Amino acid sequence: MDMAQTASGGLSDDIITQLLLARGVAREDLPRHRAPTLRAFLPDPSEFRDMELAARRMADAIERREAITIYGDYDVDGATSAALLIRLIRMLGHDARHYIPDRLLEGYGPTGEALVRLGAEGAQLIVTVDCGAMAHEALAMAAQAGVEVIVVDHHKCSAELPQALALVNPNRLDESDIGAAHGHLAAVGVAFLLGVALVRVLRGRGWFAGRAEPDLFALLDLVALGTVADVAALHGLNRALVAQGLKVMARRENIGMAALIDASRLNRAPTATDLGFALGPRVNAGGRVGEATLGVRLLTTQDAEEAREIAAQLSRLNEERRAIEMAVQEAAEAQVERQGNRSVVVVSGKGWHPGVIGIVAGRIKEKTGKPTLVIAMDDDGPNGGYGKGSGRSISGVDLGAAIIGARELGYLVAGGGHAMAAGLTVAQDRLDDFAQWLDDRLAGDVGRAQGAQSLLLDLAVAPRGLQPELVELLESAGPYGMGWPGPRVAVGPVRVVKADVVGADHLRMIVRGEDGASFKAMAFRAAQTEMGQTLIHGDHGRKLWLAGRARIDDWGPRRAAELHVDDAAWAG
């Protein structure tokens, strides 16, 4: 790390101002970003293609009391998107069913068979959320059967759009400038904008004469959870949605969300980090290794006992998921070691559980610093010789666009996604050709992205300066996440007093500075890395600097600050 890479600015500027400036905020725009609100960031939904058409058709269905089915995806973004629309429709005095496909039996996205069957069972309007942007064949089958479908998605689109009544997606290639500027929205954010447009249409029709308008802000806890769990960039509108959603979540008005928080053993209001590492994985576990509908059922139930039961079940499934994930990760990492200098990691294996390959791809991406695809191959049966893959990318490399390109060239049976994550289906006899094509396609982007990587620091403090008050001040410029990185603090010089391995490959340290102050430091999943081994077995009499995220440690008898370490460097 380069100690010179710190946020710069005038001495009169406070720390928060410097954090915002370092994240690209123009000085004249600082007030809006200091306390992000929806009033300051929410666009007019009508600026998005097909938004008004979708809102009018949904308003018709509510006025006519038509049968509506929300067709979601099995991950957190899909579950929260579906739950948001179902809860909103209830607020409007109507109701809607949900349909979540089974990951193993049906795979990602709407199938023509499912859409036609739902129509035959009475659905007069189907709204797909977090899926459908590339479902050309499925939506063509639905249209031929007379089934009306609205698509609400955020994944990359091809130039030719599928045959839907309306397709609301900021990543349409023909989107307006304002719509395209919000391509970082998760699907649940797009669903929220549709909700705003729907309420406005109904208001214009006089629907609320004698009726109370729904409190759309009460749905923001769902938006926050889906946005963070889908690793959407937390700048602009997304940051405002998550900031306000965390406030709603703290009120515990959603019975299912409150049960999820309790099952996660949080005894305080959740933070953005909790959404990504505690709440989100539990909702995901239902779609990964359990029953795909559990997440939607939890987030829409009005029965407290049912909520507790589902939340407990999701916690058990999450533990099961961890065990499966560990086995797949070990097998995948063994392949990585044999791949040499490829720019994109592509690993595959028979018997790998499709429900954990996305998580494993993320883990390997973090370790290698390269875009990674993990593919679960089928053994036998009608789908023998095919693999389902999930990929995670690095900043600056658009994996979703590359996967769509590979599909259009015939390397893949199916595929799509967005810049940071993608999914695919590939025939085994095309896997090597696809991997080589992908490596050739992305090698330049990966090289440039890696060359631009550096450990940027926002603040350097002496060990005694690492205090809870500093942590709280830094957190006030959040919420932090993808695209809005948490402030990285350098602390030192320090010496390691004690270092040991805890849990699954985590490194725990006690360090002390020359000013006599000591604090706890954690380096997660780092015990076997070069840095971890150096910190464990190196010269503990030698001074060093540590860099990472400052956090509050609530476990001891008194509140203290600790450092979650990203990197370390010798002090001279």
Side-chain angles (χ1 to χ4, degrees):
M1 68 182 177
D2 184 351
M3 291 303 299
Q5 291 175 325
T6 58
S8 62
L11 293 176
S12 62
D13 289 333
D14 63 25
I15 291 176
I16 300 304
T17 296
Q18 288 305 302
L19 289 176
L20 297 177
L21 291 173
R23 279 147 187 76
V25 176
R27 188 171 289 275
E28 61 271 17
D29 208 19
L30 286 172
R32 188 168 71 125
H33 288 268
R34 276 184 175 273
T37 64
L38 290 190
R39 181 182 298 276
F41 286 94
L42 196 69
D44 183 344
S46 64
E47 296 285 351
F48 292 73
R49 300 279 188 191
D50 283 2
M51 183 71 82
E52 287 299 309
L53 176 59
R56 289 196 298 269
R57 180 62 186 91
M58 288 188 69
D60 291 342
I62 289 168
E63 288 182 322
R64 300 168 188 166
R65 303 195 67 79
E66 294 178 345
I68 304 172
T69 296
I70 309 299
Y71 193 118
D73 187 25
Y74 35 66
D75 69 359
V76 183
D77 194 16
T80 52
S81 300
L84 185 147
L85 290 183
I86 291 170
R87 292 178 72 90
L88 175 57
I89 291 168
R90 283 181 189 166
M91 292 176 180
L92 294 170
H94 192 35
D95 206 352
R97 294 176 56 199
H98 64 262
Y99 184 88
I100 309 295
D102 184 280
R103 182 189 292 266
L104 298 180
L105 299 179
E106 297 174 87
Y108 168 76
T111 64
E113 293 79 7
L115 293 174
V116 171
R117 184 174 68 253
L118 290 170
E121 292 173 352
Q124 294 165 280
L125 177 64
I126 299 174
V127 183
T128 73
V129 289
D130 196 30
C131 59
M134 294 292 292
H136 294 79
E137 294 180 5
L139 290 168
M141 283 182 62
Q144 187 174 7
V147 179
E148 290 190 306
V149 181
I150 293 171
V151 174
V152 179
D153 204 353
H154 70 131
H155 293 99
K156 296 284 185 179
C157 295
S158 58
E160 180 185 355
L161 297 175
Q163 191 175 352
L165 177 68
L167 195 155
V168 183
N169 185 336
N171 287 304
R172 286 174 55 152
L173 297 181
D174 63 344
E175 187 52 88
S176 68
D177 289 343
I178 291 179
H182 291 87
H184 61 295
L185 285 172
V188 69
V190 183
F192 180 78
L193 290 178
L194 176 58
V196 173
L198 171 59
V199 169
R200 186 167 61 185
V201 168
L202 289 171
R203 185 187 302 124
R205 295 181 182 182
W207 177 257
F208 299 114
R211 295 186 178 95
E213 287 200 18
D215 179 9
L216 290 169
F217 274 58
L219 301 171
L220 289 177
D221 56 347
L222 296 168
V223 182
L225 177 56
T227 298
V228 173
D230 212 51
V231 201
L234 291 191
H235 55 74
L237 177 57
N238 274 349
R239 185 163 165 256
L241 290 168
V242 173
Q244 300 306 316
L246 287 170
K247 296 177 183 177
V248 174
M249 196 175 293
R251 301 203 300 259
R252 298 173 59 92
E253 294 172 350
N254 183 323
I255 291 171
M257 190 75 76
L260 183 63
I261 293 168
D262 292 341
S264 301
R265 299 176 182 174
L266 294 175
N267 54 11
R268 50 170 170 74
T271 65
T273 300
D274 296 325
L275 305 191
F277 291 96
L279 277 63
R282 283 171 165 78
V283 176
N284 258 335
R288 292 187 187 282
V289 298
E291 182 185 340
T293 63
L294 288 174
V296 177
R297 287 171 50 202
L298 174 66
L299 297 172
T300 57
T301 184
Q302 300 176 79
D303 184 315
E305 183 57 34
E306 181 185 27
R308 283 191 292 271
E309 291 175 358
I310 295 176
Q313 185 177 356
L314 287 173
S315 288
R316 290 192 296 271
L317 289 170
N318 195 43
E319 291 301 318
E320 180 182 337
R321 184 269 306 168
R322 286 175 177 168
I324 296 171
E325 172 196 327
M326 187 176 298
V328 173
Q329 184 171 340
E330 288 178 358
E333 288 182 345
Q335 288 188 31
V336 174
E337 293 178 0
R338 300 192 295 268
Q339 289 208 347
N341 294 319
R342 278 191 176 274
S343 297
V344 181
V345 174
V346 180
V347 293
S348 64
K350 292 184 177 181
W352 291 0
H353 197 298
V356 302
I357 55 177
I359 302 174
V360 174
R363 296 269 193 250
I364 294 176
K365 182 260 295 188
E366 291 298 325
K367 284 193 172 185
T368 62
K370 299 177 181 180
T372 299
L373 284 162
V374 179
I375 301 170
M377 304 300 300
D378 288 331
D379 280 316
D380 308 301
N383 293 324
Y386 288 87
K388 300 281 188 182
S390 186
R392 299 293 183 268
S393 194
I394 61 176
S395 296
V397 180
D398 191 335
L399 184 59
I403 294 301
I404 291 174
R407 174 185 174 176
E408 291 174 343
L409 290 173
Y411 288 103
L412 301 175
V413 176
H418 49 79
M420 299 301 291
L424 59 87
T425 302
V426 61
Q428 185 163 7
D429 61 2
R430 296 290 279 162
L431 180 57
D432 290 341
D433 291 341
F434 162 67
Q436 186 61 56
W437 178 88
L438 189 67
D439 203 67
D440 294 340
R441 162 76 179 259
L442 294 180
D445 292 342
V446 172
R448 285 185 289 273
Q450 291 178 332
Q453 288 179 350
S454 58
L455 192 68
L456 300 177
L457 303 176
D458 292 285
L459 189 68
V461 299
R464 195 173 297 281
L466 189 65
Q467 298 291 333
E469 293 77 14
L470 175 64
V471 178
E472 290 166 354
L473 176 63
L474 296 176
E475 289 301 315
S476 69
Y480 300 106
M482 177 65 65
W484 192 264
R488 186 174 283 115
V489 180
V491 188
V494 298
R495 288 184 173 87
V496 176
V497 176
K498 181 182 180 183
D500 52 13
V501 179
V502 296
D505 197 34
H506 307 315
L507 175 61
R508 179 178 58 193
M509 295 174 286
I510 302 295
V511 300
R512 179 176 292 116
E514 294 177 320
D515 58 5
S518 60
F519 60 89
K520 184 170 76 175
M522 294 289 300
F524 294 99
R525 291 187 294 275
Q528 301 305 317
T529 66
E530 180 181 354
M531 179 189 75
Q533 289 297 299
T534 300
L535 291 171
I536 295 171
H537 302 296
D539 180 1
H540 286 181
R542 190 175 177 185
K543 292 181 292 186
L544 50 79
W545 283 85
L546 300 177
R549 289 286 305 275
R551 299 289 196 182
I552 297 292
D553 178 11
D554 288 321
W555 290 100
R558 61 182 181 84
R559 294 172 76 248
E562 64 181 27
L563 192 70
H564 291 185
V565 178
D566 297 321
D567 201 358
W570 297 117

